[in-house]
Amino acid sequence: MNSRAKSEALFAESLNHIPGGVNSPVRAFRGVGGQPFFAERAAGAHMWDVDGNEYIDYVGTWGPAILGHANPAIIEAIKQAADKGTSFGIPTEAEVRMARLVKACVPSVEKVRMVNSGTEACMSAIRVARGFTGRPKIIKFDGCYHGHADSLLVKAGSGALTCGHPDSAGVPPEFTAHTIVVPFNDEAAVREAFAANDGQVAGIILEPVPGNAGVYLPRKGFLEFLRDITAANDSLLIFDEVMTGFRVGLDGAQGRFSITPDLSCFGKIIGGGLPVGAFGGRAVLMDVLAPDGPVYQAGTLSGNPLAMAAGIAALEQLQSGEVYERLEALGAQLEAGINAAAKSAGVPVVTQRIGSMGCLFFTDHPVHNLADAMRADRERFKKYFHGMLAEGIYFAPSAFEAGFLSNAHTEADVDATVVAATKVMRIL
Ligand code: KE4
């Protein structure tokens, strides 16, 4: 590992111009201490910083890089689209192709609208739910993160949790008065929420596999329970698949768990690394949206041609290959190696994974919700993070995030990661 002198100089300069020196809080390394390196370039599963240090990357730009960085087909698609112009503000064929592609991959989506981030996708889906039902309340789960829209910054995960602001300043209590927060995997709490708000709940929004407080899985039957109780209460089930969509399978967590939500939110992978979000679902719900219906939602760059080209190139590759089988094998190899490394060092860990997304908790008990995740040893995580970074392995700089494999990772990359973990676990 060379010095990080150029990154340090850039960060010092950045602090003069950008809040916290970063354009998104979790990048500031506040969850692990120290300061971020500055990326110079990335290709495949590897990233190089401005000082020439090379890393095996398990952040994958927080999920989008499922095919690896600088994927040739995505780069070529962007170049060809850029030669025709970067934005038109009027419909393009690429938007129709993208919509048809999403519908082909995710059968619950009958109509879909493109936006520019996961935040926009989730806030818009909630507006559709409230507009269609005429009801004000939304149920969410603590530790789940659905972007930074005001009404959702309540016990939110990801950077909000990392930076200690799960209930953000600047959001008047009136803006979250209709957001009901309950623990994930807690059926009784969901029943109580409906009973206490009879006829008021527009819907439930959840990450079907939460990945913003580490990763934990729905208990057997929990998603089916949510599907049943929303239907029984004329409420809508909204799957935030910004992270799980096209990650845990071509048809996301809803396909993996055979649950049909009413609305779904997408982001990350769907843009191939460019700014794209989307939300979609039953046509009768989506038709409440302007210009047909009374629910307004808009975006200057929604359906941007470069972003569509990148996203289409990504999804078409995912549609065609055996990517998910390979990602499952790589995920299993990494998980087994990390567990063996921890066992050899006598360090209690719990690894939790679905396909190519997962996390490592320094704890000796399974994690089923935010409270469990909060009990894990964060000091040990910090040491592990920096120890691995020094070995050229870049995991998410927060105990409250997920790690991601890509189709560009090799078995050799995973072997090197396990060798590093075996060394680092011994000094925790
Ligand atoms: P964006 O607005 O950041 O595109 O998406 C918000 C969002 C919505 N739903 C889920 C399940 C998400 O995971 C996210 C964003 N994820 C975080 C990382 N876990 C983004 C990283 C960041 O904030 O810089």
Side-chain angles (χ1 to χ4, degrees), residues 148-154 167-177:
H148 63 92
D150 282 346
S151 68
L152 290 168
L153 281 178
V154 188
D167 304 323
S168 173
V171 178
E174 295 81 4
F175 284 34
T176 56

Side-chain angles (χ1 to χ4, degrees), residues 74-88 304-307 309:
I74 293 174
I75 297 297
E76 183 56 29
I78 295 169
K79 285 177 177 175
Q80 287 187 15
D83 284 343
K84 299 178 183 174
T86 57
S87 179
F88 309 120
N304 172 272
L306 272 62

Side-chain angles (χ1 to χ4, degrees), residues 111-240:
K111 285 195 176 175
V112 60
R113 176 158 286 175
M114 293 291 130
V115 292
N116 300 281
S117 69
T119 294
E120 274 192 83
C122 293
M123 69 186 237
S124 304
I126 285 173
R127 191 176 306 141
V128 165
R130 286 174 164 151
F132 180 80
T133 62
R135 296 175 172 183
K137 305 282 185 187
I138 289 288
I139 295 172
K140 78 174 285 285
F141 295 94
D142 59 3
C144 283
Y145 179 69
H146 306 293
H148 63 92
D150 282 346
S151 68
L152 290 168
L153 281 178
V154 188
K155 290 188 173 41
S158 184
L161 197 53
T162 298
C163 298
H165 312 303
D167 304 323
S168 173
V171 178
E174 295 81 4
F175 284 34
T176 56
H178 294 304
T179 306
I180 303 161
V181 185
V182 293
F184 192 76
N185 276 322
D186 188 335
E187 294 186 9
V190 174
R191 282 197 193 91
E192 286 162 24
F194 272 103
N197 298 277
D198 187 29
Q200 295 292 307
V201 178
I204 295 179
I205 187 169
L206 70 146
E207 297 175 58
V209 178
N212 284 290
V215 174
Y216 37 91
L217 297 169
R219 287 185 192 278
K220 186 171 174 49
F222 183 63
L223 297 180
E224 291 79 357
F225 161 76
L226 294 179
R227 176 63 283 176
D228 293 344
I229 196 167
T230 44
N233 284 276
D234 297 319
S235 295
L236 301 177
L237 183 60
I238 307 169
F239 269 17
D240 172 356

Side-chain angles (χ1 to χ4, degrees), residues 45-126:
H46 293 231
M47 186 177 280
W48 289 262
D49 68 19
V50 292
D51 293 285
N53 298 303
E54 181 176 354
Y55 305 94
I56 299 174
D57 175 29
Y58 288 99
V59 177
T61 182
W62 304 99
I66 191 169
L67 294 163
H69 294 288
N71 171 269
I74 293 174
I75 297 297
E76 183 56 29
I78 295 169
K79 285 177 177 175
Q80 287 187 15
D83 284 343
K84 299 178 183 174
T86 57
S87 179
F88 309 120
I90 196 137
T92 61
E93 182 195 359
E95 293 162 80
V96 179
R97 281 180 63 204
M98 172 62 98
R100 292 179 62 176
L101 203 43
V102 171
K103 288 176 63 176
C105 296
V106 189
S108 71
V109 174
E110 295 173 349
K111 285 195 176 175
V112 60
R113 176 158 286 175
M114 293 291 130
V115 292
N116 300 281
S117 69
T119 294
E120 274 192 83
C122 293
M123 69 186 237
S124 304
I126 285 173

